[in-house]
Amino acid sequence: MLQAKLLNQDLHYGVVSIVGMPGLGKTTLAKKLYRLIRDQFECSGLVYVSQQPRAGEILLDIAKQIGLTEQKIKENLEDNLRSLLKIKRYVILLDDIWDVEIWDDLKLVLPECDSKVGSRMIITSRNSNVGRYIGGESSLHALQPLESEKSFELFTKKIFNFDDNNSWANASPDLVNIGRNIAGRCGGIPLAIVVTAGMLRARERTEHAWNRVLESMGHKVQDGCAKVLALSYNDLPIASRPCFLYFSLYPEDHEIRAFDLINMWIAEKFIVVNSGNRREAEDLAEDVLNDLVSRNLIQLAKRTYNGRISSCRIHDLLHSLCVDLAKESNFFHTAHDVFGDPGNVARLRRITFYSDNVMIEFFGSNPKLEKLRVLFCFTKDPSIFSHMACFDFKLLHTLVVVMSQSFQAYVTIPSKFGNMTCLRYLKLEGNICGKLPNSIVKLTRLETIDIDRRSLIQLPSGVWESKHLRHLCYRDYGQACNSCFSISSFYPNIYSLHPNNLQTLMWIPDKFFEPRLLHRLINLRKLGILGVSNSTVKILSTCRPVPKALKVLKLRFFSDPSEQINLSSYPKIVKLHLNVDRTIALNSEAFPPNIIKLTLVCFMVDSCLLAVLKTLPKLRKLKMVICKYNEEKMALSGEANGYSFPQLEVLHIHSPNGLSEVTCTDDVSMPKLKKLLLTGFHCGISLSERLKKLSK
């Protein structure tokens, strides 16, 4: 019904407002609706607004999704976004709007969704008045709790989710009745139902075990949701509870990378590898994250090319529970909780800031932070590092600074930064420009350094003093003489590292890449090379023996290589990312034999390249970003004597240049294709009938 409403060309004001209490499934319904209709529009965007929104960040997110260029964003984000949306037919989903003030800011940029252009807006809110204010009375769609039979139907589906025999046939009548009572206590709230089912799946399917859960839920239906969520936390293994509480450090609706969580848990020593256990700490941490998702305490956001969790988020209700539990156990605090109480401040172990004013006021009060272990700052204020200079943070082992301003901010990182001798995890994200001091040489326990690609941060060579370094994500924009990758007999270098530790190296400049790097760093799993030259192509093509652990390779070319790359001898590489500004010829030997995901950026795509891609035997995901197409029509069908893309499941085309038609005219080619994604600018691209169905 909502789909038909939004696609109705006579709709006077194109807004649908999905409203209702928390946990009813507003976001689930809105996202399903959005995905059903987005291909009917020229551009689309999905953004999470949440309780503490920043209009600039939301508009920037929309701009990137609808394909506004980086140059236009930097010139004038608001004016250029408004101009583009006035002439494009768009659909935008604004999820979880709490109040009308943020809409008053956004509507100055977002054109009205009237019938002239045919643009549409979907919003979700727990407040009906917000939906009424934005879209009018006719826009409202109020979700209600599920009726008892629908509740039990959902409960049954989730209980038997992983079973071959999806029925109650083998259960006693008493167990079925207990199940109905448990579902009933959830008050018809889907979130409570799925979380309860996730908890019960981890228990014996017996009357005794389920009765204990039922008794713990209380007798009032209206209390069911809160009690169920708390009960699910208490049902977690003790070792997993602090991992769950870590989600309280992030803002509501924040999409969190699995890489970040896993490495912060390791830095906190929540994940301990016992002697005799050959599994890496990262693998054990991934097990914990998978268990949290299986219990429905955490929501899966994205998967990787091989089905692993790439990113996740937590529902608002569970986030509130998480914050409450974290405060009760002194696991975490916000600045508001500890103002005016020196005793509380002295006990602080973890703190997070979402507000610049609160952060500045807190640091200005000269707090005693001797026990602080974790500091999260989501800020626009470049002076954050100056405030930090007043403190030693001798026990701090996790530091996360996320700068959300759209312009480049130069920061001075004080030399006292080197006093954080316990620091194990460092993440700097956003438009930050500066230099880490040489005193970083004292940070010998660092395990993860993650510096966002937008940041112009210079790392000193002292970074290699950390013998425990496992992950380095960093783009070196400095001069060759000042690069941390420079080889010198006076300073430590990348070859000073213990050969068993480093797993991620993103990105090393081409001029510092040597053959011995692949032989020495024996556990290197992910490698990125910036500015790939002919010599590097030759090194990669002729390296013997090939690295046994390397699974992900990313290559950024700045010029045309005359050497033909040959990665056919790398059986372990399953993910390959190639970024080139010019034409590069690739034959079948250019690709690893077991490649699962391939990303091509700024490539010239012609029939020759397409013919090679069609033959890759294990390719499951192909992503082509801002590629130029020599021919307007891209034919995905196989040749006369064979079929194409035998394992391909996802084809993603982003902002194509020169492409007007994508076809697949037979049922034999791409037998496993499940999804076709067209994102960014893709105006007027026509699809054959089969592909149309897969692009919904």
Side-chain angles (χ1 to χ4, degrees):
M1 180 268 291
L2 294 175
Q3 180 184 3
K5 181 176 181 179
L6 286 171
L7 295 179
N8 181 0
Q9 294 183 1
D10 296 326
L11 187 65
H12 174 65
Y13 192 62
V15 178
V16 163
S17 305
I18 301 173
V19 297
M21 64 185 289
L24 287 180
K26 298 185 296 296
T27 298
T28 303
L29 175 60
K31 287 168 74 173
K32 185 172 184 178
L33 177 62
Y34 169 78
R35 287 166 181 156
L36 279 171
I37 69 170
R38 64 181 173 187
D39 290 327
Q40 307 291 320
F41 296 81
E42 293 178 280
C43 52
S44 58
L46 187 165
V47 291
Y48 297 92
V49 180
S50 75
Q51 196 170 0
Q52 295 175 319
R54 291 177 174 175
E57 293 176 30
I58 294 169
L59 294 172
L60 179 61
D61 198 356
I62 292 172
K64 289 179 178 179
Q65 291 185 58
I66 68 165
L68 195 65
T69 64
E70 288 286 341
Q71 183 179 350
K72 295 277 189 182
I73 290 173
K74 289 178 180 178
E75 284 175 359
N76 192 317
L77 169 62
E78 295 185 4
D79 286 351
N80 289 328
L81 178 57
R82 185 188 303 108
S83 298
L84 179 62
L85 292 179
K86 278 184 176 180
I87 60 172
K88 296 292 182 184
R89 188 166 177 264
Y90 67 82
V91 59
I92 292 175
L93 167 55
L94 299 175
D95 185 41
D96 196 22
I97 300 183
W98 280 65
D99 53 52
V100 298
E101 284 80 6
I102 184 62
W103 172 250
D104 287 337
D105 292 335
L106 295 177
K107 72 179 182 182
L108 298 175
V109 178
L110 302 179
E112 283 195 5
C113 300
D114 55 30
S115 56
K116 294 177 183 176
V117 178
S119 295
R120 300 289 184 258
M121 186 87 68
I122 307 167
I123 73 148
T124 70
S125 179
R126 56 185 66 183
N127 188 338
S128 297
N129 289 329
V130 171
R132 191 174 288 112
Y133 181 85
I134 295 173
E137 192 71 37
S138 62
S139 75
L140 295 182
H141 178 79
L143 283 185
Q144 301 297 331
L146 299 177
E147 296 177 352
S148 58
E149 279 306 312
K150 287 291 184 182
S151 293
F152 188 61
E153 185 181 320
L154 177 61
F155 179 78
T156 299
K157 179 182 176 182
K158 294 299 180 181
I159 282 291
F160 295 103
N161 198 20
F162 302 106
D163 290 359
D164 295 330
N165 183 18
N166 185 356
S167 79
W168 293 95
N170 299 322
S172 69
D174 286 343
L175 187 65
V176 175
N177 287 331
I178 296 170
R180 285 188 178 277
N181 287 333
I182 290 175
R185 294 278 175 86
C186 293
I189 300 173
L191 176 67
I193 294 169
V194 299
V195 168
T196 304
M199 174 178 60
L200 289 174
R201 279 203 308 268
R203 294 177 175 237
E204 286 185 289
R205 202 169 292 167
T206 64
E207 296 165 31
H208 175 70
W210 283 24
N211 253 325
R212 288 185 62 188
V213 172
L214 181 62
E215 290 166 2
S216 303
M217 293 175 73
H219 296 285
K220 293 183 179 179
V221 170
Q222 57 267 35
D223 294 337
C225 189
K227 285 184 177 285
V228 161
L229 301 184
L231 184 61
S232 299
Y233 168 77
N234 292 326
D235 194 62
L236 283 172
I238 292 175
S240 298
R241 293 179 188 178
C243 296
F244 174 71
L245 294 181
Y246 228 81
F247 287 86
S248 62
L249 290 163
Y250 287 91
E252 276 185 2
D253 293 317
H254 195 84
E255 186 173 335
I256 309 165
R257 292 193 309 168
F259 176 86
D260 295 342
L261 282 170
I262 285 170
N263 288 297
M264 283 188 280
W265 292 345
I266 292 170
E268 289 257 32
K269 302 297 182 187
F270 294 159
I271 308 296
V272 179
V273 180
N274 297 322
S275 57
N277 190 338
R278 293 188 176 183
R279 299 187 68 199
E280 295 278 359
E282 285 83 356
D283 297 328
L284 298 175
E286 191 173 1
D287 289 346
V288 174
L289 184 56
N290 282 327
D291 183 54
L292 293 174
V293 171
S294 175
R295 291 170 179 264
N296 297 307
L297 288 170
I298 301 303
Q299 298 173 336
L300 174 68
K302 293 175 186 170
R303 288 196 182 275
T304 64
Y305 58 93
N306 56 359
R308 297 162 75 175
I309 298 170
S310 173
S311 62
C312 55
R313 53 170 41 95
I314 184 169
H315 191 280
D316 293 353
L317 280 179
L318 283 161
H319 185 268
S320 298
L321 170 73
C322 207
V323 170
D324 291 343
L325 291 169
K327 290 176 181 177
E328 286 176 14
S329 59
N330 200 36
F331 179 87
F332 144 84
H333 287 281
T334 60
H336 289 294
D337 305 323
V338 293
F339 263 133
D341 188 341
N344 274 346
V345 173
R347 292 195 300 271
L348 270 180
R349 291 179 178 269
R350 299 170 189 86
I351 191 167
T352 187
F353 296 100
Y354 310 138
S355 164
D356 291 344
N357 292 335
V358 172
M359 179 186 71
I360 293 168
E361 187 180 353
F362 179 78
F363 283 126
S365 66
N366 196 29
K368 304 298 181 184
L369 301 171
E370 289 88 350
K371 294 187 177 181
L372 193 66
R373 305 289 202 277
V374 177
L375 175 60
F376 274 51
C377 298
F378 297 86
T379 177
K380 285 184 176 180
D381 187 354
S383 66
I384 169 63
F385 295 101
S386 301
H387 295 302
M388 291 173 58
C390 302
F391 306 93
D392 282 337
F393 295 122
K394 290 184 178 179
L395 297 181
L396 194 75
H397 51 60
T398 299
L399 175 61
V400 176
V401 178
V402 179
M403 301 279 284
S404 59
Q405 81 287 349
S406 57
F407 57 89
Q408 201 78 43
Y410 187 85
V411 299
T412 301
I413 302 175
S415 59
K416 286 187 73 173
F417 196 84
N419 292 348
M420 303 180 197
T421 53
C422 291
L423 196 66
R424 301 188 193 109
Y425 182 95
L426 172 64
K427 181 178 178 68
L428 303 178
E429 181 179 331
N431 290 312
I432 308 173
C433 180
K435 178 182 178 181
L436 285 175
N438 291 325
S439 59
I440 195 174
V441 70
K442 294 188 280 186
L443 307 184
T444 57
R445 301 184 187 184
L446 269 172
E447 296 172 357
T448 299
I449 301 176
D450 187 358
I451 298 178
D452 186 53
R453 64 184 179 85
R454 293 171 293 168
S455 296
L456 300 176
I457 295 288
Q458 187 176 334
L459 277 181
S461 58
V463 69
W464 308 117
E465 287 285 4
S466 178
K467 307 303 181 186
H468 303 283
L469 192 64
R470 299 167 75 89
H471 305 283
L472 176 61
C473 302
Y474 166 66
R475 286 203 181 197
D476 190 335
Y477 293 100
Q479 297 297 319
C481 59
N482 296 324
S483 173
C484 67
F485 292 101
S486 299
I487 306 299
S488 167
S489 57
F490 299 102
Y491 301 104
N493 57 64
I494 190 170
Y495 299 102
S496 309
L497 291 175
H498 191 285
N500 290 329
N501 286 342
L502 197 66
Q503 296 181 15
T504 303
L505 179 56
M506 295 282 175
W507 297 68
I508 181 171
D510 173 85
K511 64 181 67 182
F512 302 118
F513 179 74
E514 299 179 16
R516 58 176 172 152
L517 184 138
L518 295 176
H519 298 307
R520 177 171 175 78
L521 302 177
I522 58 176
N523 278 330
L524 193 63
R525 298 181 182 184
K526 301 177 182 179
L527 172 64
I529 306 175
L530 200 59
V532 177
S533 65
N534 278 320
S535 62
T536 293
V537 169
K538 195 169 184 178
I539 291 171
L540 291 171
S541 300
T542 60
C543 177
R544 300 293 184 275
V546 296
K548 293 182 179 180
L550 191 62
K551 294 182 179 179
V552 178
L553 179 62
K554 298 187 177 185
L555 303 176
R556 175 73 166 94
F557 295 84
F558 292 148
S559 60
D560 261 352
S562 56
E563 290 280 341
Q564 175 69 52
I565 191 166
N566 185 340
L567 300 176
S568 60
S569 59
Y570 290 77
K572 292 293 182 71
I573 292 180
V574 289
K575 180 179 178 181
L576 179 64
H577 181 110
L578 301 175
N579 188 330
V580 61
D581 289 332
R582 296 180 176 86
T583 306
I584 176 173
L586 298 174
N587 59 26
S588 58
E589 291 185 340
F591 300 101
N594 297 315
I595 185 171
I596 293 175
K597 180 182 178 182
L598 173 64
T599 301
L600 302 177
V601 182
C602 297
F603 259 73
M604 181 68 74
V605 179
D606 55 21
S607 56
C608 294
L609 175 59
L610 203 57
V612 173
L613 299 180
K614 290 177 180 180
T615 64
L616 298 178
K618 298 185 179 180
L619 186 66
R620 295 210 300 257
K621 184 171 183 178
L622 174 60
K623 185 175 183 179
M624 295 186 281
V625 180
I626 321 176
C627 290
K628 298 177 182 177
Y629 295 81
N630 272 356
E631 297 131 19
E632 292 185 2
K633 178 179 177 180
M634 184 162 68
L636 301 176
S637 297
E639 304 302 324
N641 297 322
Y643 69 9
S644 66
F645 298 112
Q647 299 294 326
L648 192 68
E649 297 176 0
V650 178
L651 174 60
H652 186 177
I653 302 172
H654 179 81
S655 294
N657 185 353
L659 185 65
S660 61
E661 185 178 3
V662 183
T663 66
C664 182
T665 55
D666 61 69
D667 295 327
V668 178
S669 300
M670 302 189 294
K672 298 190 177 181
L673 191 66
K674 298 176 182 175
K675 188 182 295 184
L676 170 63
L677 296 173
L678 293 174
T679 58
F681 281 126
H682 54 87
C683 301
I685 293 181
S686 64
L687 303 174
S688 59
E689 285 304 313
R690 180 185 169 202
L691 298 180
K692 280 182 182 178
K693 296 175 183 176
L694 296 172
S695 67
K696 300 299 183 185

PDB file of all heavy atoms in Angstrom, residues 103 143 177 263 273 309 364 497:
ATOM      1  N   TRP A 103      14.320  19.028  11.246  1.00  0.00           N
ATOM      2  CA  TRP A 103      13.660  19.140   9.948  1.00  0.00           C
ATOM      3  C   TRP A 103      13.649  20.589   9.468  1.00  0.00           C
ATOM      4  O   TRP A 103      13.826  20.851   8.275  1.00  0.00           O
ATOM      5  CB  TRP A 103      12.239  18.594  10.023  1.00  0.00           C
ATOM      6  CG  TRP A 103      11.460  18.855   8.767  1.00  0.00           C
ATOM      7  CD1 TRP A 103      10.414  19.709   8.581  1.00  0.00           C
ATOM      8  CD2 TRP A 103      11.716  18.274   7.478  1.00  0.00           C
ATOM      9  NE1 TRP A 103       9.989  19.695   7.283  1.00  0.00           N
ATOM     10  CE2 TRP A 103      10.773  18.825   6.573  1.00  0.00           C
ATOM     11  CE3 TRP A 103      12.639  17.347   6.995  1.00  0.00           C
ATOM     12  CZ2 TRP A 103      10.737  18.468   5.229  1.00  0.00           C
ATOM     13  CZ3 TRP A 103      12.608  17.003   5.658  1.00  0.00           C
ATOM     14  CH2 TRP A 103      11.659  17.560   4.787  1.00  0.00           C
ATOM     15  N   LEU A 143       2.307   2.356  13.065  1.00  0.00           N
ATOM     16  CA  LEU A 143       2.492   0.933  13.344  1.00  0.00           C
ATOM     17  C   LEU A 143       1.912   0.601  14.717  1.00  0.00           C
ATOM     18  O   LEU A 143       2.021   1.393  15.663  1.00  0.00           O
ATOM     19  CB  LEU A 143       3.975   0.573  13.326  1.00  0.00           C
ATOM     20  CG  LEU A 143       4.650   0.438  11.953  1.00  0.00           C
ATOM     21  CD1 LEU A 143       6.085  -0.037  12.139  1.00  0.00           C
ATOM     22  CD2 LEU A 143       3.897  -0.534  11.074  1.00  0.00           C
ATOM     23  N   ASN A 177       2.758 -24.148  24.933  1.00  0.00           N
ATOM     24  CA  ASN A 177       2.021 -23.166  25.739  1.00  0.00           C
ATOM     25  C   ASN A 177       2.968 -22.169  26.413  1.00  0.00           C
ATOM     26  O   ASN A 177       2.669 -20.971  26.501  1.00  0.00           O
ATOM     27  CB  ASN A 177       1.169 -23.872  26.792  1.00  0.00           C
ATOM     28  CG  ASN A 177      -0.040 -24.557  26.173  1.00  0.00           C
ATOM     29  OD1 ASN A 177      -0.546 -24.118  25.136  1.00  0.00           O
ATOM     30  ND2 ASN A 177      -0.501 -25.632  26.795  1.00  0.00           N
ATOM     31  N   ASN A 263      39.185  -4.931  17.253  1.00  0.00           N
ATOM     32  CA  ASN A 263      40.512  -4.505  17.700  1.00  0.00           C
ATOM     33  C   ASN A 263      40.474  -3.696  18.990  1.00  0.00           C
ATOM     34  O   ASN A 263      41.446  -3.696  19.751  1.00  0.00           O
ATOM     35  CB  ASN A 263      41.205  -3.739  16.573  1.00  0.00           C
ATOM     36  CG  ASN A 263      41.627  -4.667  15.445  1.00  0.00           C
ATOM     37  OD1 ASN A 263      42.444  -5.554  15.636  1.00  0.00           O
ATOM     38  ND2 ASN A 263      41.040  -4.492  14.278  1.00  0.00           N
ATOM     39  N   VAL A 273      43.787 -14.914  24.333  1.00  0.00           N
ATOM     40  CA  VAL A 273      44.145 -16.173  23.672  1.00  0.00           C
ATOM     41  C   VAL A 273      44.894 -17.039  24.676  1.00  0.00           C
ATOM     42  O   VAL A 273      45.963 -16.660  25.159  1.00  0.00           O
ATOM     43  CB  VAL A 273      45.024 -15.911  22.436  1.00  0.00           C
ATOM     44  CG1 VAL A 273      45.395 -17.232  21.765  1.00  0.00           C
ATOM     45  CG2 VAL A 273      44.305 -15.002  21.457  1.00  0.00           C
ATOM     46  N   ILE A 309      30.752 -10.463   9.030  1.00  0.00           N
ATOM     47  CA  ILE A 309      30.166  -9.181   9.423  1.00  0.00           C
ATOM     48  C   ILE A 309      31.150  -8.065   9.095  1.00  0.00           C
ATOM     49  O   ILE A 309      32.295  -8.077   9.546  1.00  0.00           O
ATOM     50  CB  ILE A 309      29.817  -9.180  10.924  1.00  0.00           C
ATOM     51  CG1 ILE A 309      28.767 -10.253  11.228  1.00  0.00           C
ATOM     52  CG2 ILE A 309      29.312  -7.806  11.358  1.00  0.00           C
ATOM     53  CD1 ILE A 309      28.542 -10.477  12.710  1.00  0.00           C
ATOM     54  N   GLY A 364      37.924  21.770  30.805  1.00  0.00           N
ATOM     55  CA  GLY A 364      38.240  23.032  31.464  1.00  0.00           C
ATOM     56  C   GLY A 364      38.112  22.973  32.971  1.00  0.00           C
ATOM     57  O   GLY A 364      38.675  23.810  33.687  1.00  0.00           O
ATOM     58  N   LEU A 497      59.893  -4.529  12.552  1.00  0.00           N
ATOM     59  CA  LEU A 497      58.766  -5.183  13.218  1.00  0.00           C
ATOM     60  C   LEU A 497      59.001  -6.677  13.358  1.00  0.00           C
ATOM     61  O   LEU A 497      59.686  -7.299  12.535  1.00  0.00           O
ATOM     62  CB  LEU A 497      57.475  -4.955  12.424  1.00  0.00           C
ATOM     63  CG  LEU A 497      56.899  -3.544  12.394  1.00  0.00           C
ATOM     64  CD1 LEU A 497      55.704  -3.509  11.462  1.00  0.00           C
ATOM     65  CD2 LEU A 497      56.483  -3.101  13.788  1.00  0.00           C
TER      66      LEU A 497
END
